[in-house]
Coordinates of all heavy atoms in Angstrom, one line a residue:
A1 N -8.2 -23.2 184.9 CA -8.0 -24.7 184.6 C -8.6 -25.5 185.8 O -9.3 -26.5 185.6 CB -6.7 -25.1 184.3
E2 N -8.2 -25.2 187.0 CA -8.8 -25.8 188.2 C -10.4 -25.7 188.2 O -11.1 -26.7 188.5 CB -8.3 -25.2 189.5 CG -6.8 -25.6 189.7 CD -6.3 -24.8 191.0 OE1 -7.2 -24.6 192.0 OE2 -5.1 -24.5 191.1
R3 N -10.9 -24.5 187.9 CA -12.3 -24.4 187.9 C -13.0 -25.2 186.7 O -14.1 -25.6 187.1 CB -12.7 -22.9 187.7 CG -12.3 -22.1 189.0 CD -12.9 -20.7 189.0 NE -12.3 -19.8 187.9 CZ -11.3 -19.1 188.0 NH1 -10.5 -19.1 189.1 NH2 -11.0 -18.3 186.9
V4 N -12.3 -25.3 185.7 CA -13.0 -26.2 184.6 C -13.1 -27.6 185.1 O -14.1 -28.2 184.9 CB -12.0 -26.2 183.4 CG1 -12.5 -27.2 182.3 CG2 -12.1 -24.7 182.8
Q5 N -12.0 -28.0 185.7 CA -12.0 -29.5 186.3 C -13.2 -29.6 187.3 O -14.0 -30.5 187.3 CB -10.7 -29.9 186.8 CG -9.6 -30.1 185.9 CD -8.3 -30.4 186.5 OE1 -8.0 -30.1 187.7 NE2 -7.5 -31.1 185.8
Q6 N -13.2 -28.7 188.2 CA -14.2 -28.8 189.3 C -15.6 -28.6 188.8 O -16.5 -29.4 189.2 CB -13.9 -27.6 190.4 CG -14.8 -27.7 191.6 CD -14.5 -26.6 192.6 OE1 -13.8 -25.7 192.3 NE2 -15.2 -26.8 193.7
K7 N -15.9 -27.6 188.0 CA -17.2 -27.4 187.5 C -17.6 -28.7 186.6 O -18.8 -29.2 186.7 CB -17.4 -26.1 186.7 CG -17.2 -24.9 187.6 CD -18.3 -24.8 188.5 CE -18.1 -23.5 189.3 NZ -19.3 -23.2 190.1
S8 N -16.7 -29.2 185.9 CA -17.0 -30.3 185.0 C -17.4 -31.6 185.9 O -18.3 -32.3 185.5 CB -15.9 -30.8 184.1 OG -15.6 -29.6 183.2
A9 N -16.6 -31.8 186.9 CA -16.9 -32.9 187.8 C -18.2 -32.7 188.5 O -19.0 -33.6 188.8 CB -15.8 -33.1 188.8
I10 N -18.6 -31.5 188.9 CA -19.8 -31.1 189.5 C -21.0 -31.5 188.6 O -22.0 -32.1 189.0 CB -19.9 -29.7 190.0 CG1 -19.0 -29.4 191.3 CG2 -21.3 -29.2 190.3 CD1 -18.7 -28.0 191.5
A11 N -20.8 -31.0 187.3 CA -21.9 -31.2 186.3 C -22.1 -32.8 186.1 O -23.1 -33.2 186.0 CB -21.5 -30.5 185.0
I12 N -20.9 -33.4 186.0 CA -21.0 -34.9 185.8 C -21.7 -35.5 187.0 O -22.6 -36.5 186.8 CB -19.6 -35.6 185.5 CG1 -19.1 -35.1 184.1 CG2 -19.7 -37.0 185.7 CD1 -17.6 -35.4 184.0
S13 N -21.4 -35.1 188.1 CA -22.1 -35.7 189.3 C -23.5 -35.5 189.3 O -24.4 -36.4 189.5 CB -21.5 -35.1 190.6 OG -22.2 -35.5 191.8
R14 N -24.0 -34.3 188.9 CA -25.5 -34.0 188.8 C -26.1 -34.8 187.7 O -27.2 -35.3 187.9 CB -25.6 -32.5 188.6 CG -25.2 -31.8 189.9 CD -25.2 -30.2 189.6 NE -25.0 -29.4 190.8 CZ -24.7 -28.2 190.9 NH1 -24.7 -27.5 189.8 NH2 -24.4 -27.6 192.0
L15 N -25.5 -34.9 186.6 CA -26.0 -35.6 185.5 C -26.2 -37.1 185.8 O -27.0 -37.8 185.2 CB -25.2 -35.4 184.2 CG -25.3 -34.0 183.7 CD1 -24.3 -33.7 182.5 CD2 -26.7 -33.7 183.1
C16 N -25.2 -37.6 186.6 CA -25.1 -39.1 186.9 C -26.3 -39.5 187.9 O -26.2 -40.6 188.2 CB -23.8 -39.5 187.3 SG -22.6 -39.7 186.0
S17 N -27.1 -38.6 188.3 CA -28.4 -38.9 189.0 C -29.2 -39.9 188.1 O -30.0 -40.6 188.6 CB -29.2 -37.7 189.4 OG -28.4 -36.9 190.4
D18 N -29.0 -39.7 186.9 CA -29.7 -40.6 185.8 C -28.9 -41.8 185.7 O -27.8 -41.6 185.2 CB -30.0 -39.8 184.5 CG -30.6 -40.6 183.5 OD1 -30.7 -41.8 183.6 OD2 -31.1 -40.1 182.5
P19 N -29.2 -43.0 185.9 CA -28.4 -44.2 185.7 C -27.9 -44.4 184.3 O -26.8 -44.9 184.1 CB -29.4 -45.3 186.1 CG -30.3 -44.7 187.0 CD -30.6 -43.4 186.5
V20 N -28.7 -43.9 183.3 CA -28.3 -44.1 181.8 C -27.0 -43.2 181.6 O -26.1 -43.7 180.9 CB -29.3 -43.6 181.0 CG1 -29.0 -43.6 179.5 CG2 -30.6 -44.7 181.1
V21 N -27.0 -42.0 182.2 CA -26.0 -41.1 181.9 C -24.7 -41.7 182.8 O -23.6 -41.6 182.3 CB -26.3 -39.6 182.5 CG1 -25.0 -38.7 182.5 CG2 -27.3 -39.2 181.7
A22 N -25.0 -42.1 183.9 CA -23.8 -42.7 184.7 C -23.2 -43.9 184.0 O -22.0 -44.0 183.9 CB -24.3 -43.3 186.1
A23 N -24.0 -44.7 183.3 CA -23.4 -45.8 182.5 C -22.7 -45.3 181.3 O -21.7 -45.9 180.9 CB -24.7 -46.8 182.0
Q24 N -23.2 -44.2 180.8 CA -22.4 -43.6 179.7 C -21.0 -43.1 180.1 O -20.1 -43.2 179.4 CB -23.2 -42.4 179.2 CG -22.6 -41.7 177.9 CD -23.5 -40.6 177.3 OE1 -24.2 -39.9 178.1 NE2 -23.5 -40.2 176.0
V25 N -20.9 -42.5 181.3 CA -19.6 -42.0 181.7 C -18.7 -43.3 181.9 O -17.5 -43.1 181.6 CB -19.7 -41.3 183.1 CG1 -18.3 -41.0 183.8 CG2 -20.6 -39.9 183.0
V26 N -19.2 -44.4 182.3 CA -18.4 -45.5 182.6 C -18.0 -46.0 181.3 O -16.8 -46.4 180.9 CB -19.2 -46.7 183.3 CG1 -18.5 -48.0 183.3 CG2 -19.5 -46.3 184.7
E27 N -18.9 -46.1 180.3 CA -18.6 -46.6 178.9 C -17.5 -45.7 178.2 O -16.7 -46.3 177.5 CB -19.8 -46.6 178.1 CG -19.7 -47.1 176.7 CD -21.0 -46.9 175.9 OE1 -22.0 -47.3 176.5 OE2 -20.9 -46.6 174.7
L28 N -17.5 -44.4 178.5 CA -16.6 -43.6 177.9 C -15.2 -43.4 178.6 O -14.5 -42.5 178.3 CB -17.3 -42.2 177.7 CG -18.4 -42.0 176.7 CD1 -19.2 -40.7 177.0 CD2 -17.9 -42.3 175.4
Q29 N -15.0 -44.2 179.6 CA -13.9 -44.2 180.4 C -13.6 -43.1 181.2 O -12.5 -42.8 181.7 CB -12.6 -44.5 179.5 CG -12.6 -45.6 178.5 CD -12.7 -47.1 179.2 OE1 -12.0 -47.2 180.1 NE2 -13.6 -47.9 178.8
G30 N -14.8 -42.4 181.6 CA -14.6 -41.2 182.6 C -14.2 -41.5 183.9 O -13.6 -40.7 184.6
V31 N -14.5 -42.7 184.4 CA -14.2 -43.2 185.8 C -12.6 -43.1 185.9 O -12.2 -42.7 186.9 CB -14.8 -44.5 186.0 CG1 -14.3 -45.1 187.4 CG2 -16.3 -44.5 186.0
S32 N -11.9 -43.6 184.9 CA -10.4 -43.5 185.1 C -9.9 -42.2 185.2 O -9.0 -41.9 186.0 CB -9.7 -44.2 183.9 OG -10.0 -43.6 182.7
R33 N -10.4 -41.2 184.5 CA -10.0 -39.8 184.8 C -10.4 -39.3 186.0 O -9.6 -38.6 186.6 CB -10.6 -38.9 183.7 CG -10.1 -37.5 183.7 CD -8.5 -37.3 183.4 NE -8.2 -36.0 183.5 CZ -7.0 -35.5 183.9 NH1 -6.0 -36.4 184.2 NH2 -6.7 -34.3 184.1

């Protein structure tokens, strides 16, 4: 479960190099998590 959280956050970080994806994370309330 820890590795799922860590790898997911790593993937999100990498994907958020694209401003459109970063905005999608904000829109989906991912910042709060």
Side-chain angles (χ1 to χ4, degrees):
E2 285 177 32
R3 290 189 299 272
V4 169
Q5 289 178 335
Q6 183 178 13
K7 294 295 184 175
S8 297
I10 289 168
I12 289 169
S13 177
R14 290 173 177 168
L15 290 171
C16 284
S17 294
D18 180 345
V20 172
V21 176
Q24 187 180 27
V25 172
V26 171
E27 182 181 318
L28 293 170
Q29 307 296 315
V31 172
S32 64
R33 181 62 180 156

